[in-house]
Amino acid sequence: MKLSDFAPQFPVLWASSGSTTTVQYPLLSGTSLATGRASIASGFPAVNFTPPAAGGVYPWGADWNGALKTLSVSAQNYEAGVIPLFSQNFANAIGGYPQNAIVADANTAGLFWVSTADANTTVPATPNSAWQKFGWNQFIKQGWGFSTFGNSNVYLGWRKDGSGLGVGIDSTDIGNVAIQGGGKLGWGDWTEQNYTLPSGGNRTISLTFTAPSAGYVHAVGSANFAAQNSNQSQLSVVINGTTLSADNVTGATAMTNHSCILVNAGTVVVASYLGTSATNPPNVGHTLSYLFIPS
């Protein structure tokens, strides 16, 4: 078949200039039809196929015009590129939409739904429905308008586990997108506590956050003593229970320690440990901060 074989279109509907006398549109329905009248369900009744001399009735011309107009309305919609809206009544009447049927969204222009099952009477955009989004505004196509870009298909989608916005190139999952704003591109926190350690005592301060994806945590712990601490002090940085760096210093008034580690998505605990062997240690300002950047 060639494009030139395409049938003439219907710019004007069949019997569009007819009257209610000459065009029965829509066609009659129900069982109480006048003798010889046609309907969608029954078509032309048997009496129309019986010669009038034998008691038959000629078909009504208005019914012929109505039937042809019905078909031309449907054909004109198709030729105009119309994709019908989803109809629950229509779905029920035909026993459900078939697999791969396409319907238009009732609220969003340019959004369509394709059926993923036969006998589909479920409603698009409802939980557990057998429909998936379909339309140019649902996809990103790489390469349009950019001569240096390839022709790969680029896909975006929020991951089902809530871990972030995923990116796929053709059939390869390349990871999550870091979104600027709303605590997505990179964020951190800090805390400070002022106290006096007991003789030979220690204290751990901590911060907890949820990493939406794998990333790097840079943590810094520091201790500033009110006076020179003549005995040995230990300051360490701990992330998710693992001590990453530790310093032992004697006679210090200030100490700082830091480290960086790759963590997985999920709960992350950042901590700083401070201990001393002093009998009467001075007051201390103990601070902890971290910066998280998705990998």
Side-chain angles (χ1 to χ4, degrees), residues 20-184:
T20 55
T21 302
T22 60
V23 183
Q24 179 61 57
Y25 182 81
L27 290 173
L28 300 175
S29 61
T31 56
S32 300
L33 301 176
T35 302
R37 298 304 303 268
S39 69
I40 288 288
S42 302
F44 289 96
V47 69
N48 292 146
F49 298 87
T50 303
V57 176
Y58 289 120
W60 289 60
D63 291 343
W64 280 109
N65 280 335
L68 292 173
K69 183 174 182 178
T70 299
L71 296 175
S72 68
V73 167
S74 179
Q76 189 183 70
N77 274 268
Y78 159 73
E79 292 167 348
V82 174
I83 296 179
L85 298 174
F86 169 83
S87 169
Q88 187 68 71
N89 291 336
F90 182 70
N92 294 338
I94 66 172
Y97 288 91
Q99 182 175 315
N100 296 326
I102 299 174
V103 296
D105 190 86
N107 301 309
T108 303
L111 173 58
F112 306 98
W113 298 89
V114 58
S115 174
T116 58
D118 284 328
N120 184 6
T121 58
T122 61
V123 180
T126 58
N128 301 316
S129 68
W131 297 90
Q132 67 181 23
K133 288 183 178 180
F134 175 79
W136 291 116
N137 64 342
Q138 306 306 312
F139 305 97
I140 297 176
K141 180 73 173 179
Q142 184 186 6
W144 287 355
F146 297 92
S147 60
T148 58
F149 285 7
N151 294 317
S152 301
N153 292 319
V154 180
Y155 304 93
L156 292 175
W158 192 257
R159 297 192 184 276
K160 293 180 179 180
D161 61 5
S163 62
L165 183 64
V167 181
I169 304 295
D170 291 328
S171 59
T172 302
D173 185 339
I174 65 170
N176 286 357
V177 175
I179 306 174
Q180 185 175 8
K184 300 299 183 192

